[in-house]
Amino acid sequence: MGSKETGEEGLWGQSLLGQGDAFGALYDRHRDRVFRHAYRLCGNHHDAEDIMAASFLELWRRRKHVRVVEGSILPWLLVTTTNMARNRARAALRYQRLLNSLPRNHEAGDPTTDPYRRYQNQLDHDLAQALGTLSVEDLQLVSLVVFEEHTTAAAAAVLNLTPAAAKSRMHRARQRLRTALAGNASISPPNAPTPVLEGERP
């Protein structure tokens, strides 16, 4: 029973003994989900890769404090990814403020003239911004339950919440997200024929 979970706990135990292959197997097992989670939070492919790498680095750096939940280290990894994404967002904001304060020599053109890509980028940006309105605790909870489909009970366990408190927080977080996304309707979907379907794309 639960051989997969037992196997993961075994791999984690071997990792703690310094077996790099076991840690590599855990990386292979979870990297895609950690990347997707990071991408949802930051809305940028390159940043998501950096956040994913930092999360696994943190997994090893804080290995004595990692909590295995229901036989998996994934919940701990996802919570750490959330924290990494928030730290990176704060750093990016500081950097952007610095850039905005510098004099500009010329106006850069918009690199994305494809209306569909622009729309998708805006949706990613709006979602990342809406997620940014949540508290750290609520963001971690939403990430585990909504995006990674863990049970509320499992998410509550990794976040040291009671199931009732987790359920209540989830309800409030969903309302906050709904409000934030409704206020972020900053761009309309393109209404031109889809170039791919019409064969117009080279």
Side-chain angles (χ1 to χ4, degrees):
M1 180 191 300
S3 60
K4 183 178 177 183
E5 288 76 13
T6 305
E8 181 163 331
E9 280 189 291
L11 287 172
W12 181 238
Q14 292 167 27
S15 298
L16 294 177
L17 295 174
Q19 295 183 21
D21 289 349
F23 192 83
L26 289 171
Y27 174 82
D28 290 341
R29 183 174 292 193
H30 295 309
R31 67 180 173 200
D32 291 343
R33 291 181 75 176
V34 170
F35 173 82
R36 286 196 300 271
H37 181 55
Y39 183 81
R40 275 192 294 267
L41 296 175
C42 71
N44 178 291
H45 189 274
H46 298 295
D47 287 350
E49 286 182 340
D50 289 346
I51 292 167
M52 178 189 70
S55 297
F56 277 98
L57 183 63
E58 195 70 0
L59 175 66
W60 181 247
R61 197 181 71 81
R62 303 195 62 212
R63 57 192 177 277
K64 293 190 188 321
H65 305 285
V66 170
R67 294 180 61 193
V68 177
V69 176
E70 295 181 348
S72 176
I73 59 167
L74 183 61
W76 190 95
L77 257 177
L78 296 174
V79 169
T80 300
T81 301
T82 301
N83 294 335
M84 291 290 178
R86 289 180 69 92
N87 291 341
R88 190 175 185 90
R90 282 194 288 267
L93 185 61
R94 288 194 296 272
Y95 181 66
Q96 189 60 50
R97 284 181 184 149
L98 173 64
L99 286 181
N100 291 341
S101 69
L102 297 176
R104 297 181 183 202
N105 290 335
H106 62 277
E107 287 294 326
D110 183 357
T112 58
T113 55
D114 183 340
Y116 298 95
R117 170 141 328 160
R118 238 187 0 254
Y119 180 62
Q120 183 60 53
N121 288 343
Q122 187 61 48
L123 289 179
D124 292 344
H125 177 266
D126 288 349
L127 178 60
Q129 202 168 41
L131 290 171
T133 65
L134 300 178
S135 68
V136 174
E137 293 80 12
D138 288 350
L139 180 57
Q140 291 170 339
L141 186 61
V142 167
S143 301
L144 291 172
V145 174
V146 176
F147 299 130
E148 294 300 326
E149 301 178 350
H150 287 283
T151 64
T152 304
V158 78
L159 297 174
N160 289 324
L161 296 170
T162 64
K167 188 175 178 182
S168 175
R169 277 182 172 274
M170 273 301 301
H171 177 70
R172 288 196 306 267
R174 284 180 199 271
Q175 286 182 319
R176 205 167 301 132
L177 279 177
R178 199 173 295 124
T179 301
L181 287 171
N184 267 347
S186 53
I187 187 169
S188 301
N191 53 13
T194 305
V196 173
L197 295 177
E198 297 296 322
E200 295 175 9
R201 193 181 295 259

